[in-house]
Amino acid sequence: MLGRAALVTPKRPNGRFIMALAENSTLITTATKFAVANNGVNDVYSDVETGTSADQAVAYVFSAGNTGDDRLESFNHNDSVVNYQAIFDGNNDGIINFGANGVLDIDRVNRRQAGADQITVGSNQEIQNLRFLGSKDGGFVYADYRTYTQLDATTSKTLAESTVNNDTFSAGDGDKVFLFDTALGLNLGADTITDFGVGDELVTTTAIHNGPDAGALVTFGRNGVLDLPGDTNGIKGDIGPVEGGQIEFGANLRLSLLATEEGANGATYYHYGLLGA
């Protein structure tokens, strides 16, 4: 069996660890922010209303008020719902299931009180589940659950996913896959992954800067921090505000693009892992 790669944490000349994680407090970075109107009308929102194309990420932002019962017709794998409050989650598992009628009550307070506003998602209401991706910058974030389940179905490794918060993961107990849904165009926080080694995978939904081809080497600075892209393939993550968030490995790793795969909902998965043993 291959052992885990030896990791060396970079230090300053005085022996102190280099820490370069930014604040990462802005939620919507490269996604198009679309404010849903509080007009009490049952609106249909397509690419025409948002002024985008299917390959552009859209963050549909709902504020407190009467938005009506709206349909997000052009909602894709790279789009998100950013609600002013947490959407009711009966069993608190982070999976938001729509009703049998394909409708989601975004104002629901409890099982008995549905609230005033509802949404349907997808041109044929094909999206029936959203996953909760945390809260930041005043918004509660939800995205297509299939992006997670598709990847989970194709790997035998333990799958963990980054939220928009500052998450800490350990890769020290068996091989793991860490999903960062960068195609959403949101800042996924200042995350830490400890003990990342051979057999572990970092999976993004847009290509990390340094090339989209298999075998492409991803290099990052001596500080051991990887800047993640936004919703555009290959974008350099540290231009302006951090586009997709950051990952601190506590070591100067050499990641390589291992493979890509396509999901049925349109998501593309870029698998990165370590070179060497």
Side-chain angles (χ1 to χ4, degrees):
M1 295 179 61
L2 292 175
R4 292 193 174 271
L7 307 182
V8 178
T9 303
K11 297 183 180 180
R12 300 183 191 277
N14 61 8
R16 298 181 64 184
F17 293 128
I18 298 173
M19 300 293 287
L21 290 172
E23 186 180 4
N24 290 278
S25 60
T26 299
L27 174 60
I28 301 172
T29 52
T30 62
T32 297
K33 180 179 179 180
F34 182 79
V36 178
N38 285 326
N39 57 7
V41 176
N42 301 341
D43 294 306
V44 177
Y45 295 108
S46 67
D47 293 336
V48 174
E49 285 74 28
T50 61
T52 60
S53 60
D55 60 348
Q56 293 177 284
V58 179
Y60 293 88
V61 180
F62 291 81
S63 57
N66 182 12
T67 62
D69 297 339
D70 298 328
R71 179 158 58 116
L72 310 184
E73 185 174 66
S74 299
F75 196 95
N76 295 305
H77 71 92
N78 54 350
D79 298 326
S80 58
V81 170
V82 181
N83 204 34
Y84 70 97
Q85 66 177 18
I87 298 176
F88 178 71
D89 182 359
N91 60 2
N92 201 35
D93 64 353
I95 304 167
I96 309 300
N97 299 308
F98 290 32
N101 56 359
V103 171
L104 177 62
D105 304 313
I106 62 171
D107 291 339
R108 179 176 289 278
V109 177
N110 53 46
R111 295 187 186 279
R112 295 187 177 184
Q113 294 177 280
D117 300 320
Q118 300 175 320
I119 60 172
T120 55
V121 180
S123 57
N124 296 307
Q125 297 180 329
E126 65 268 22
I127 297 178
Q128 293 292 301
N129 315 88
L130 299 177
R131 70 197 196 279
F132 178 51
L133 289 176
S135 175
K136 181 164 66 179
D137 207 9
F140 294 79
V141 181
Y142 301 85
D144 188 352
Y145 182 43
R146 295 175 299 177
T147 301
Y148 179 93
T149 57
Q150 289 169 165
L151 180 60
D152 193 37
T154 62
T155 182
S156 60
K157 302 175 183 179
T158 301
L159 176 60
E161 180 172 21
S162 172
T163 69
V164 299
N165 303 114
N166 299 336
D167 301 307
T168 298
F169 302 103
S170 173
D173 183 18
D175 294 340
K176 294 184 179 178
V177 176
F178 301 96
L179 172 61
F180 287 75
D181 196 357
T182 51
L184 295 174
L186 305 176
N187 186 303
L188 298 177
D191 290 0
T192 300
I193 302 178
T194 60
D195 299 317
F196 190 94
V198 172
D200 297 318
E201 296 178 34
L202 169 66
V203 177
T204 59
T205 48
T206 50
I208 297 174
H209 180 68
N210 279 44
D213 300 322
L217 183 65
V218 176
T219 59
F220 41 103
R222 288 174 54 83
N223 57 17
V225 170
L226 177 63
D227 298 314
L228 294 171
D231 65 316
T232 302
N233 280 328
I235 192 170
K236 192 173 182 180
D238 57 0
I239 295 178
V242 177
E243 313 290 17
Q246 295 179 301
I247 306 173
E248 157 121 58
F249 293 95
N252 193 5
L253 306 183
R254 300 184 67 202
L255 295 175
S256 181
L257 180 61
L258 306 176
T260 61
E261 62 177 316
E262 302 291 331
N265 74 336
T268 301
Y269 303 95
Y270 297 84
H271 294 253
Y272 298 89
L274 288 183
L275 287 178

